[in-house]
Amino acid sequence: MLKLSELLKKTHSIFDNLFSIERDYFTIGGLKKDLSFFFKKRNIFHHFIDRIKFQYYPKLLMSSSFPTHLEVEAASKCQMRCPMCYTTYMKDHFKGIMKMDLYKKIIDEAADNNTYSIKLSWRGEPLLNPNLVEMIKYAKKKGIKDVAFLTNAELLNDKKSKELIESGLDWISISADGTDEIYNKIRFPAKFNETIEKIKTFKKIRDEKKQTKPLIRVQSILTALENNSSKFYKSWEGIVDKINVIADHIRDYGMDTKKIEYNEMFLCPKPFQRLTIGHDGKVHQCINDYDGKNILGNVSNQSIKEVWDGEQSRKLRNSFKNHTFLKENVSCNYCSYAFAQEKSSLTKIVEGLNLKIKRYKSAHKVVDDGKVLETPESLIPLNKIEEYRKMLKKENSN
């Protein structure tokens, strides 16, 4: 017989599955900013229908006949070595660039089946793909209504900004954790002030062309903001269209799972919403399956539809329906989405502006009491080691 505490925990998890939209993703400015971003995207009717399929079908254990969204990895390699990113520790044979012929095959089928959105990023930095602008143009030409990607923006320059703005890109998300020294250490070798200037220039070019798109979003992990949320907000407000905060995630696949407190009733929406397609065509279980522990298929020699309806995809969905996902899927054991959560907050971001947040109990903090998790020096590119050492020495002396 279940103890009362266990029963209450399970009941809370069920309600959380039904009524929670974003478990770990929070907007400074709340619903007002979210709605503003929603309406600026345009395609209001189609976007509304897509949100119902994307957010609410999974809650009813339903999936569309074809994925409403695709993660299409333009590049799985990255020039940065951020301490909290698994790509930093990922083996070289997982790293590469998606070829254009494979990409067109994916987009052609997606367009024929009315996929609403694609994101051209996952493990790596999309700007490392020399065909990125053409990829965006091709998707828009084929009728994909929402095309976006995440970037660290270090490789962004005036020429590339102009090309992206003219490509038809719908929105771009800048990963910028914290400010000043915290940002510089996490996002080495980028510099906070230089990144701000790059995005100011991006917005200036967009506005001069009298365009509202691409919309610009910036996001930071929670612990990078706990001591400087006000400066972060003031630095980006007026430059970007939306400012988001993300709970810190686990990025340690060697972590002892016995020390993790799981939400065993968690219902992951991803198997019901989308497919995650790597640069080489392999379809991974989800965006957390960095090193391909559960490959659902390969769109190099299969159709997206075959993978979506295939045995591996059905087994994955059933594991959540039956609450057996932790036993059946190795990657789920290292996925923060399946962790128990606790309440947190950012207070006094500016006068009268606070933000209620949920953090994952078992995820280590990237920034703990102002101290930033360091990337092992052995993983820093040889031509950047001296610069990295000087930066650490400067940080540690402050």
Side-chain angles (χ1 to χ4, degrees):
M1 188 172 179
L2 278 176
K3 293 180 180 179
L4 180 60
S5 60
E6 287 298 313
L7 181 62
L8 289 172
K9 187 184 291 186
K10 286 180 182 289
T11 302
H12 179 270
S13 295
I14 292 169
F15 272 86
D16 194 44
N17 287 334
L18 287 172
F19 299 109
S20 177
I21 299 298
E22 296 286 357
R23 291 171 53 80
D24 61 354
Y25 207 77
F26 308 90
T27 301
I28 297 179
L31 182 61
K32 183 179 178 181
K33 282 288 186 182
D34 281 333
L35 286 174
S36 173
F37 200 78
F38 179 91
F39 286 113
K40 283 179 180 178
K41 280 188 171 183
R42 301 197 291 271
N43 296 310
I44 303 301
F45 175 76
H46 291 102
H47 193 189
F48 180 73
I49 297 300
D50 172 69
R51 289 298 89 183
I52 291 174
K53 292 179 181 179
F54 191 81
Q55 301 287 12
Y56 293 101
Y57 274 26
K59 297 178 185 299
L60 301 173
L61 303 178
M62 295 169 54
S63 56
S64 300
S65 59
F66 196 87
T68 184
H69 174 77
L70 294 174
E71 312 280 353
V72 183
E73 186 177 57
S76 62
K77 58 184 181 179
C78 185
Q79 82 283 9
M80 285 189 176
R81 300 292 185 270
C82 303
M84 72 291 188
C85 182
Y86 186 69
T87 303
T88 296
Y89 310 92
M90 197 166 67
K91 301 295 184 183
D92 286 344
H93 67 269
F94 288 112
K95 300 176 182 179
I97 300 291
M98 180 171 281
K99 294 179 180 177
M100 202 64 185
D101 56 347
L102 173 60
Y103 176 74
K104 287 182 176 180
K105 178 182 183 294
I106 293 167
I107 296 302
D108 288 348
E109 186 181 356
D112 288 344
N113 288 275
N114 299 312
T115 291
Y116 182 81
S117 58
I118 64 165
K119 193 184 294 175
L120 292 168
S121 50
W122 176 27
R123 295 172 292 188
E125 171 51 54
L127 289 172
L128 286 170
N129 190 320
N131 295 318
L132 181 64
V133 171
E134 291 307 310
M135 295 169 88
I136 297 165
K137 288 180 178 179
Y138 189 80
K140 295 308 294 183
K141 176 184 174 184
K142 286 290 181 174
I144 303 296
K145 290 183 171 59
D146 193 80
V147 180
F149 69 90
L150 278 64
T151 176
N152 55 49
E154 195 209 0
L155 302 176
L156 202 60
N157 54 38
D158 292 7
K159 180 176 180 292
K160 184 62 69 176
S161 292
K162 184 173 181 292
E163 289 174 348
L164 289 170
I165 289 164
E166 293 175 347
S167 69
L169 182 68
D170 290 285
W171 56 276
I172 185 172
S173 183
I174 315 301
S175 298
D177 304 296
T179 64
D180 303 321
E181 290 82 6
I182 286 177
Y183 172 92
N184 295 347
K185 194 168 184 179
I186 294 174
R187 291 285 164 182
F188 175 84
K191 303 291 190 294
F192 180 68
N193 290 333
E194 291 176 6
T195 301
I196 289 280
E197 290 305 314
K198 286 178 181 181
I199 307 308
K200 278 184 180 178
T201 299
F202 189 95
K203 180 181 184 294
K204 182 172 180 284
I205 295 170
R206 183 194 70 178
D207 292 351
E208 285 175 349
K209 290 180 175 293
K210 302 191 184 311
Q211 293 180 204
T212 56
K213 290 184 177 183
L215 297 173
I216 309 167
R217 182 182 78 180
V218 67
Q219 59 186 35
S220 170
I221 53 173
L222 170 61
T223 57
L225 297 183
E226 288 180 323
N227 295 326
N228 60 359
S229 60
S230 179
K231 180 167 185 179
F232 183 82
Y233 178 80
K234 290 175 181 177
S235 296
W236 290 107
E237 179 66 5
I239 301 173
V240 300
D241 299 285
K242 192 178 182 185
I243 303 174
N244 283 105
V245 181
I246 315 167
D248 292 40
H249 281 234
I250 183 176
R251 289 292 187 267
D252 181 6
Y253 276 22
M255 185 175 180
D256 184 358
T257 56
K258 292 178 182 178
K259 296 179 180 180
I260 298 174
E261 182 180 347
Y262 292 105
N263 173 4
E264 295 180 0
M265 299 298 289
F266 173 58
L267 173 60
C268 184
K270 291 174 177 57
F272 302 88
Q273 297 169 328
R274 66 182 88 176
L275 287 179
T276 300
I277 304 173
H279 76 276
D280 54 0
K282 291 180 181 177
V283 181
H284 294 238
Q285 170 182 311
C286 67
I287 56 174
N288 188 64
D289 188 19
Y290 271 59
D291 54 0
K293 295 183 186 302
N294 185 14
I295 298 298
L296 305 182
N298 192 324
V299 296
S300 295
N301 50 43
Q302 292 176 277
S303 69
I304 295 171
K305 178 69 171 170
E306 285 174 332
V307 177
W308 184 245
D309 291 340
E311 182 182 354
Q312 289 299 106
S313 292
R314 292 198 306 272
K315 282 175 63 178
L316 180 61
R317 293 184 198 112
N318 286 334
S319 72
F320 286 98
K321 291 178 182 178
N322 300 326
H323 307 296
T324 56
F325 64 96
L326 290 171
K327 294 179 182 178
E328 295 184 29
N329 311 308
V330 174
S331 292
C332 292
N333 288 271
Y334 301 95
C335 176
S336 299
Y337 294 120
F339 292 1
Q341 291 183 294
E342 60 187 358
K343 293 180 180 179
S344 184
S345 63
L346 288 175
T347 58
K348 296 181 180 178
I349 298 170
V350 291
E351 190 62 37
L353 182 59
N354 302 313
L355 183 64
K356 292 182 179 179
I357 288 171
K358 289 182 180 178
R359 67 165 80 235
Y360 295 110
K361 289 184 180 180
S362 303
H364 56 235
K365 294 181 177 181
V366 177
V367 183
D368 193 357
D369 195 27
K371 183 173 176 58
V372 179
L373 183 70
E374 291 184 9
T375 300
E377 188 177 289
S378 60
L379 297 175
I380 302 296
L382 289 175
N383 63 338
K384 294 288 183 180
I385 286 180
E386 285 305 314
E387 184 183 350
Y388 185 66
R389 287 172 178 168
K390 288 178 183 177
M391 185 267 296
L392 291 183
K393 186 176 180 180
K394 181 180 177 182
E395 302 297 324
N396 293 333
S397 64
N398 289 340

